[in-house]
Amino acid sequence: MDFYLGIDFGTSGARAVVIDDEAGIQAEVRYPWETASVSDLTTCWQTALLTMLKYIPEELRREVRAIAINGTSATVLLTDEAGEPVDAPLLYNDGRAAALLEHLQKIAPPHHTVLSATSSLAKLLWMSQLPNFSQARYFLHQADWLAFLLHGQIGISDYHNALKLGYDVEQLKYPQWLLKLQIPIQLPKVIAPGTPIAELRPEIVQEFGFPRDCLVCAGTTDSIAAFVASGAKLPGQAVTSLGSTLVLKLLSRTRVEDARYGIYSHRLGDLWLTGGASNTGGAVLRHFFTDAELSSLSREINSAQASQLDYYPLLNNGDRFPINDPHLSPRLTPRPNQPAEFLHGLLESMARIEARGYELLQQLGADQLTHVYTAGGGAANQTWTAIRRRLLKVTVKPSVHTEAAYGTALLAMRGVRG
């Protein structure tokens, strides 16, 4: 029997899932992130990748036919000719490029996806001002670089990760306005997610016992991988990922793009996956409560009754969607004395942000929302689910599979089986 390996590099940790020919899960491995300085990130990623490979059962490793990796959208880095990082990567939510938005607005088309302080292209422009930029030869996304560690072919990306770099996912090429920038660095070659790139490096085969002809496929982003895993297939169906952040994806026959609101669309077969990502979410909840507290306090909340607290729950200034403002201030007051009341206000406010996001997508031309699958850790919170169902006014239930790594394993399987 053949097996397929999907690896997810998310905001809270890394995960690996092995599936069989029938898409049944055969093994799962987790690698939670420890506190590390930004300069240690690439070492941390590499350690996580190799550690997870080691902990996949040997009898499964021997039969893995294909591997794919997802990473957080617009987490990027510069490397030299050999693929070695030349500086610290910039994470998905890094907004230091905000100062370059005015310059970028003169270059990119109006309301384009790249017109965000956290877009890959904005980050590349910011990185081009770094003292050691002259040492860089390649600009890569997190998933690109991690896959390179396995297959050894530097400078290859997929059109899900490349969207926020400015790649035209309708024409399947870099647009002229982007090429005219003439940034002195090699932009990645872009191929379809799931496309086989190359066989594993011989040293990876030897160390971990994978087949010599095991293929590494082009990856995707973590939120799209979660969508693929969810079971959503029809226009109007959506997936909300309630992880450290809040990510909305609505399947639509119409492509919707508007950088004013942090909205962008990914190609998904003949349809479009339109949505956006907010910095609110589980990271805010964990800042105030432990997992045990979240569980016990949630049971004290009457989910049928709306909270009167009006928050915009963020840990730091700035959000991406449905309000795209790098300077947006968190709103977390007044804070009631009762912890359950405070939690109710947070959950209700996050659900309002989610509802506003879907309303905005539909106002801009996406298909009408009919069904919301939920992925991420927040999917297990029944109180939050009930609040969201009340505000969204559609069926809300957990994804068929909630792990982005599972969706990435499906991508690898489909990539080599066609």
Side-chain angles (χ1 to χ4, degrees):
M1 179 178 285
D2 290 328
F3 299 108
Y4 306 89
L5 171 59
I7 302 174
D8 163 45
F9 275 73
T11 54
S12 60
R15 300 168 181 81
V17 168
V18 178
I19 63 173
D20 59 26
D21 285 317
E22 304 299 321
I25 296 175
Q26 296 299 311
E28 295 183 73
V29 179
R30 294 175 180 267
Y31 189 100
W33 298 135
E34 298 177 0
T35 303
S37 67
V38 173
S39 61
D40 293 328
L41 273 179
T42 51
T43 300
C44 178
W45 296 346
Q46 184 168 5
T47 300
L49 176 63
L50 299 179
T51 300
M52 289 192 298
L53 294 182
K54 181 175 70 174
Y55 283 113
I56 292 167
E58 183 180 354
E59 63 271 19
L60 298 182
R61 290 201 304 261
R62 288 197 298 264
E63 306 297 334
V64 171
R65 185 178 174 192
I67 302 171
I69 300 176
N70 76 67
T72 48
S73 179
T75 292
V76 297
L77 69 160
L78 299 170
T79 77
D80 62 17
E81 192 73 35
E84 289 292 324
V86 301
D87 210 320
L90 296 188
L91 295 178
Y92 64 97
N93 59 351
D94 193 304
R96 280 179 280 185
L100 297 172
L101 279 181
E102 187 174 344
H103 171 61
L104 196 51
Q105 285 167 350
K106 298 174 182 175
I107 301 164
H111 315 317
H112 196 281
T113 307
V114 299
L115 296 175
S116 164
T118 58
S119 76
S120 300
L121 183 57
K123 288 172 178 149
L124 174 55
L125 293 178
W126 186 85
M127 288 171 143
S128 70
Q129 301 175 348
L130 294 173
N132 55 359
F133 183 73
S134 60
Q135 302 171 27
R137 294 294 176 268
Y138 292 95
F139 177 77
L140 300 174
H141 302 88
Q142 181 185 35
D144 309 339
W145 184 72
L146 288 163
F148 155 74
L149 296 180
L150 297 183
H151 59 61
Q153 307 296 311
I154 190 71
I156 301 175
S157 188
D158 63 90
Y159 61 58
H160 288 160
N161 273 294
L163 179 74
K164 294 180 183 178
L165 181 56
Y167 186 78
D168 187 331
V169 293
E170 282 194 280
Q171 300 298 320
L172 298 178
K173 62 182 181 180
Y174 285 109
Q176 282 301 310
W177 64 262
L178 177 56
L179 297 176
K180 285 179 182 176
L181 286 174
Q182 296 184 324
I183 302 171
I185 197 164
Q186 184 68 45
L187 296 178
K189 174 187 176 183
V190 181
I191 58 179
T195 303
I197 297 173
E199 294 176 351
L200 281 171
R201 291 177 187 243
E203 55 266 38
I204 298 292
V205 169
Q206 183 174 357
E207 181 175 356
F208 297 102
F210 287 101
R212 285 195 302 273
D213 60 352
C214 177
L215 291 166
V216 182
C217 300
T220 183
T221 65
D222 56 346
S223 60
I224 292 185
F227 189 95
V228 172
S230 71
K233 297 175 182 177
L234 302 174
Q237 295 183 338
V239 172
T240 296
S241 296
L242 299 176
S244 299
T245 58
L246 173 72
V247 182
L248 275 55
K249 300 286 185 188
L250 173 61
L251 204 53
S252 174
R253 286 164 291 196
T254 305
R255 183 183 183 185
V256 177
E257 300 265 344
D258 200 323
R260 292 175 300 175
Y261 307 109
I263 293 171
Y264 52 93
S265 290
H266 284 282
R267 176 189 286 269
L268 199 67
D270 295 330
L271 298 172
W272 293 96
L273 199 50
T274 183
S278 170
N279 291 335
T280 195
V284 179
L285 297 177
R286 283 195 170 88
H287 180 75
F288 294 105
F289 304 103
T290 65
D291 287 348
E293 288 170 338
L294 285 171
S295 179
S296 62
L297 292 172
S298 292
R299 290 194 290 270
E300 298 179 27
I301 295 171
N302 180 2
S303 58
Q305 182 177 338
S307 170
Q308 299 306 307
L309 295 168
D310 183 21
Y311 297 147
Y312 203 103
L314 299 170
L315 289 181
N316 302 295
N317 286 350
D319 202 11
R320 299 170 284 164
F321 167 84
I323 299 174
N324 187 13
D325 179 358
H327 307 295
L328 183 69
S329 298
R331 191 168 66 247
L332 293 163
T333 57
R335 181 169 177 175
N337 293 326
Q338 297 298 321
E341 188 180 349
F342 179 48
L343 177 59
H344 189 182
L346 292 174
L347 296 178
E348 186 95 17
S349 298
M350 290 178 187
R352 290 186 194 124
I353 293 171
E354 179 186 5
R356 177 58 187 143
Y358 283 123
E359 288 168 5
L360 192 55
L361 295 176
Q362 293 166 94
Q363 288 169 9
L364 294 172
D367 277 69
Q368 182 176 349
L369 183 69
T370 61
H371 192 121
V372 175
Y373 291 93
T374 309
N381 189 312
Q382 296 302 312
T383 302
W384 198 358
T385 299
I387 292 170
R388 294 170 54 234
R389 188 180 292 119
R390 167 165 53 79
L391 291 173
L392 292 170
K393 298 180 175 61
V394 297
T395 300
V396 177
K397 65 180 184 180
S399 296
V400 177
H401 290 278
T402 60
E403 292 288 359
Y406 180 84
T408 309
L410 288 177
L411 192 70
M413 181 172 71
R414 294 167 186 171
V416 296
R417 288 170 55 173

